[in-house]
């Protein structure tokens, strides 16, 4: 369980017709989409300062820096009891990026005092939430390969009808990175189907291709990605993700509330009630451990049973100092993937490893 | 019809278990396999001169030159009434490459006076012929992507048990070329399945990746290729190719022997009798036109009906001057693909275009 998507053969179906808003512009990846939007805002609206959540993927920060923005950070955690600590709106030269991190946020995405045209929303973790569909932000953007089995691809659109930038061509450097990712996905498929493949081979390609995903020049995505999008059954996949998340959350809560344990410092996110689908759909189930050490040992136990939970997001030292709450969340969290690839049996197996781990802890 | 293979999803089946001899060594492509064998022969046996058929793919010649061989050429055409004009064996420092060009040759591959250890056989166009299976040559080699839907791959083995060279690693340059080819194959699959793909996109990648296929350093093939080989149903595909060739040959002979035409200068190869399968299986059906002009006009007519027959092999000017018979064959030939991708209906359509063309010619 876990890790990047393998290749999923796509047949023409039309099931993905409305996978993105009609006016969405495709990019090579999400960071390119953000970079292009910020450059557009700089040129058209004089944006100079970008407010970002402190707890965010560093490629988002790098894209803002590449667009020569002065970056400021605000507190925003995907925890149940937290609302973002919105910065006040001060000037037309400022833009605020909010993100539906892990698919847990709802109307929380909208800071009350900010003009819509000075807002960007990142819907990568649930491109089909109500917040995304009903957004009134100046711009919305997504990275596609986080929720869909595409080798690359990002998109930007403007719910407000602002002019949306567009990449001119498929850039050779981006094409090479995307082709490497595609080869890794196919190889992973062969591996999973039982053919003679060394896992290290596709892992190395995955890592290399991710490292080669650049911010600029902005590029069109691989034509393979563009052509498959209108045929991907995203609705069904999203239902499966929501169902899997609910199932896994239930199983994990059982482990954490066993009397011998200390549930007060452990947490499973999102909380199982109220039912939020289809308004929201978790990107993954998050397990918050008591501390980094426990998390790391649990991760090791999971990896030994071939469950590979990603960690969102290791922060650079300076960011961690400025925002200890974000660093603490990143240090204690494990993301348990629950997308359409997994059956209840797969999830049960992961839950069982976690249950055993905590029982041993308590013993 | 025609052109490079699209991607064919491979499921584990074991159908390709004996797709190559057990001791075959995989390379990035066929020219690397030849280069490696020649370098091995140079080092071990003192090979300095390589005799090559004058009518051959130029990448074969380039591989021999890259191995610093003095290249000499002998007459050998895949025509029905021709035996190769074998050079005499003169010295242990010479090696002779024979090739089962277009899959038409049988025992013709073996020059009577040459010691086996000074012979290399190229079985690219029919790796599973009796001549290949029963070969006693020092080395045999194949390029895989000509008969199989793999993005890359070549192989060498020694029926005599001579030491066979082996590439040490997957070379990054080769990996990039192979990944580009793989992306082109997937895109072609999307195109054929009716998704929104511009043909120019995968065509450009096919051409670029072929141009990037290098001779040295020798490389392992993509792991995708190595892992799929043991599962490719080559036996079934070969039967289909033979059946298709027979079907198409029959249809074309009808066109050429119509009384109003001038059949004496036109020819269809291989001749339909005697039945040679499974000893041999044509790589393609060859139509020999009266002259280059007729061939080029017929090709144009086929392309307009979306049949893309390759031409084997345009010769460099110097080679054409030295071997006018090879140049004449190359100028008059069209290869009509007949592999497992095509149904009788596809072949009928191509035959119909050709019939119409010759009727108009005669009118």
């Amino acid at each position: 369980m876990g890790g990047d998507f393998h290749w999923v053969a796509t047949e023409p179906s039309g099931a993905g017709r409305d996978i993105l808003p009609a006016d969405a512009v495709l990019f090579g990846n999400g960071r390119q989409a953000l970079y292009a939007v910020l450059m557009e805002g700089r040129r058209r609206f004089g944006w100079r300062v970008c407010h970002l959540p402190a707890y965010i993927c560093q490629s988002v920060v790098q894209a803002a820096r590449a667009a020569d923005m002065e970056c400021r950070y605000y507190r925003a955690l995907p925890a149940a009891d937290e609302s973002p600590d919105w910065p006040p709106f001060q000037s037309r030269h400022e833009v605020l990026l909010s993100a539906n991190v892990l698919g847990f946020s709802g109307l929380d995405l909208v800071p009350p005092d900010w003009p819509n045209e000075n807002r960007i929303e990142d819907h990568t973790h649930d491109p089909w939430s109500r917040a995304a569909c009903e957004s009134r932000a100046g711009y919305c953007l997504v990275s596609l390969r986080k929720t869909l089995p595409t080798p690359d691809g990002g998109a930007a659109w403007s719910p407000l009808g602002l002019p949306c930038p567009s990449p001119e061509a498929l850039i050779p450097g981006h094409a090479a990175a995307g082709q490497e990712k595609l080869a890794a996905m196919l190889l992973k498929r062969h591996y999973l189907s039982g053919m003679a493949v060394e896992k290290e081979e596709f892992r190395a390609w995955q890592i290399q291709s991710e490292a080669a995903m650049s911010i600029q020049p902005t590029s069109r995505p691989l034509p393979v990605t563009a052509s498959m999008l209108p045929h991907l059954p995203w609705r069904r996949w999203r239902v499966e993700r929501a169902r899997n998340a609910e199932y896994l959350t239930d199983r994990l809560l059982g482990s954490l509330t066993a009397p011998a344990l200390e549930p007060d410092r452990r947490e499973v996110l999102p909380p199982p009630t109220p039912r939020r689908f289809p308004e929201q759909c978790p990107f993954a189930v998050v397990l918050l451990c008591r501390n980094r050490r426990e998390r790391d040992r649990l991760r090791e136990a999971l990896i030994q049973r071939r469950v590979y939970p990603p960690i969102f997001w290791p922060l650079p030292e300076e960011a961690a100092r400025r925002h200890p709450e974000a660093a603490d969340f990143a240090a204690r969290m494990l993301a348990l993937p629950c997308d359409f690839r997994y059956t209840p049996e797969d999830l049960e197996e992961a839950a069982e490893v976690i249950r055993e781990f905590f029982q041993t802890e308590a013993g």
Side-chain angles (χ1 to χ4, degrees), chain A:
Chain A
M1 280 184 75
D4 290 0
F5 283 106
H6 57 269
W7 179 253
V8 179
T10 306
E11 299 302 329
S13 71
R17 201 182 303 265
D18 44 7
I19 196 166
L20 288 172
D23 60 340
V25 175
L26 293 181
F27 287 84
N29 55 41
R31 59 200 82 166
Q32 289 179 11
L34 175 56
Y35 170 81
V37 163
L38 289 174
M39 292 300 280
E40 185 79 11
R42 160 178 292 281
R43 209 165 50 82
R44 250 176 224 278
F45 314 122
W47 294 349
R48 296 285 180 275
V49 176
C50 184
H51 295 269
L52 301 155
Y55 176 70
I56 196 77
C57 178
Q58 286 305 300
S59 68
V60 169
V61 177
Q62 284 154 10
R65 289 194 180 140
D68 209 17
M69 292 286 143
E70 182 192 328
C71 292
R72 296 182 195 163
Y73 305 92
Y74 62 91
R75 176 180 169 130
L77 287 182
D81 50 358
E82 282 236 356
S83 270
D85 187 9
W86 299 117
F89 174 68
Q90 289 178 310
S91 135
R92 289 275 162 196
H93 302 299
E94 302 186 4
V95 60
L96 183 136
L97 179 88
S98 55
N100 184 2
V101 171
L102 295 163
F104 297 173
S105 311
L107 297 173
D108 279 358
L109 279 181
V110 183
D113 303 329
W114 282 73
N116 282 326
E117 56 269 36
N118 286 65
R119 298 198 306 105
I120 301 172
E121 291 175 357
D122 182 342
H123 288 286
T124 293
H125 281 173
D126 186 9
W128 310 284
S129 69
R130 196 173 134 198
C133 295
E134 299 183 358
S135 171
R136 296 293 302 153
Y139 295 97
C140 290
L141 49 88
V142 292
S143 167
L144 295 167
R145 70 189 187 285
K146 311 296 169 27
T147 51
L148 298 168
T150 61
D152 68 342
W157 65 95
S158 172
L160 283 191
L162 303 179
C164 207
S166 173
E168 279 174 29
L170 175 63
I171 302 295
H174 177 77
Q179 287 161 356
E180 184 164 45
K181 183 66 184 288
L182 187 57
M185 292 173 75
L186 272 161
L187 197 55
K188 183 169 183 180
R189 184 192 173 88
H190 281 189
Y191 170 82
L192 293 175
S193 77
M195 299 188 196
V197 171
E198 296 296 325
K199 183 186 271 187
E200 289 67 34
E201 292 175 312
F202 65 80
R203 281 292 297 146
W205 282 356
Q206 284 169 345
I207 293 165
Q208 279 173 38
S209 65
E210 284 296 326
M213 285 284 169
S214 59
I215 294 170
Q216 52 157 317
T218 59
S219 172
R220 290 193 189 157
L222 289 185
V224 156
T225 297
S227 60
M228 72 200 286
L229 280 179
H231 306 285
L232 295 179
W234 63 268
R235 268 197 194 80
R236 174 162 62 77
W237 287 345
R238 188 168 181 256
V239 169
E240 287 168 6
R241 191 148 53 95
R243 228 180 252 157
N244 279 346
E246 196 187 335
Y247 182 91
L248 186 55
T249 303
D250 282 352
R251 286 293 178 285
L252 293 178
L253 282 173
S255 309
L256 297 197
T257 54
L261 305 178
E262 295 168 35
D264 57 315
R265 295 291 322 275
R266 297 184 182 119
E267 202 173 342
V268 179
L269 295 172
T273 53
R275 296 282 292 276
R276 296 189 284 188
F277 190 81
E279 278 72 19
Q280 293 167 251
C281 173
F283 179 70
V285 171
V286 167
L287 188 59
L288 275 181
C289 295
R290 286 191 301 179
N291 50 49
R292 179 193 293 271
R293 199 172 143 268
E294 182 179 87
R295 191 274 311 270
D296 289 347
R297 285 182 23 252
L298 173 55
R299 184 158 188 253
E300 199 42 58
L302 284 161
I303 287 173
Q304 281 182 15
R305 299 282 285 274
R306 307 207 303 175
V307 177
Y308 302 89
I311 292 171
F312 302 122
W313 288 277
L315 297 181
E317 210 168 304
E318 193 209 329
R321 236 193 342 266
R322 262 195 326 250
H323 287 276
E325 82 291 348
D328 178 66
F329 191 91
R332 292 167 52 214
M333 78 92 74
L334 279 183
L336 299 160
C338 58
D339 57 70
F340 67 87
R341 290 175 287 177
Y342 307 114
T343 62
E345 289 71 33
D346 297 326
L347 302 171
E348 190 56 55
E349 206 178 306
E352 181 57 32
V353 179
I354 294 166
R355 191 154 43 229
E356 277 174 24
F357 176 84
F358 283 128
Q359 270 166 7
T360 314
E361 285 297 281

